[in-house]
Amino acid sequence: MRRKKAKRKRPAWGIPKGIVLLATPEGWRTSVVTMEGGMLCGRLNVPINTDPQDARAAAAVMVTELARDFHDTRVDVSWDPPREPWSWTARVSVAVDDEPP
């Protein structure tokens, strides 16, 4: 008897288009905004006392891995200048390959 091949179901979240990173007393919090209008919120897996630059780098890695693993898409993350000392935002865009197809 053959098993039915399971259709690959599209993830419930879309391709990331933005990141909000917040420093809170409980730890680093993220919100990832998707191109489809959704939002994923959670805690960044770094210690509370992590330097903000390292926290931004960890958030960027998290989002690029999410896009790669679930959407087979490479993305670039560019951080905006901070408006508040405890809050950062970034724009996420689909990476343009340097090599022609």
Side-chain angles (χ1 to χ4, degrees):
M1 178 177 247
R2 285 186 155 184
R3 285 186 175 170
K4 286 188 174 183
K5 201 172 197 179
K7 288 186 179 182
R8 189 172 182 184
K9 189 176 179 182
R10 184 174 179 199
W13 53 85
I15 295 174
K17 80 168 189 178
I19 306 170
V20 177
L21 178 64
L22 301 172
T24 70
E26 295 81 31
W28 293 94
R29 304 290 299 177
T30 61
S31 294
V32 178
V33 181
T34 67
M35 290 184 184
E36 293 77 10
M39 184 179 289
L40 303 165
C41 299
R43 186 184 319 247
L44 192 59
N45 193 19
V46 296
I48 292 173
N49 60 349
T50 299
D51 182 71
Q53 187 172 350
D54 293 337
R56 287 192 306 266
V61 167
M62 177 194 69
V63 168
T64 56
E65 289 177 352
L66 172 76
R68 181 194 67 215
D69 294 347
F70 291 98
H71 298 286
D72 295 324
T73 302
R74 203 167 55 85
V75 295
D76 294 322
V77 177
S78 57
W79 291 95
D80 299 327
R83 294 184 182 181
E84 301 289 338
W86 45 267
S87 173
W88 297 266
T89 58
R91 286 175 272 126
V92 180
S93 57
V94 175
V96 178
D97 291 331
D98 296 333
E99 299 177 16

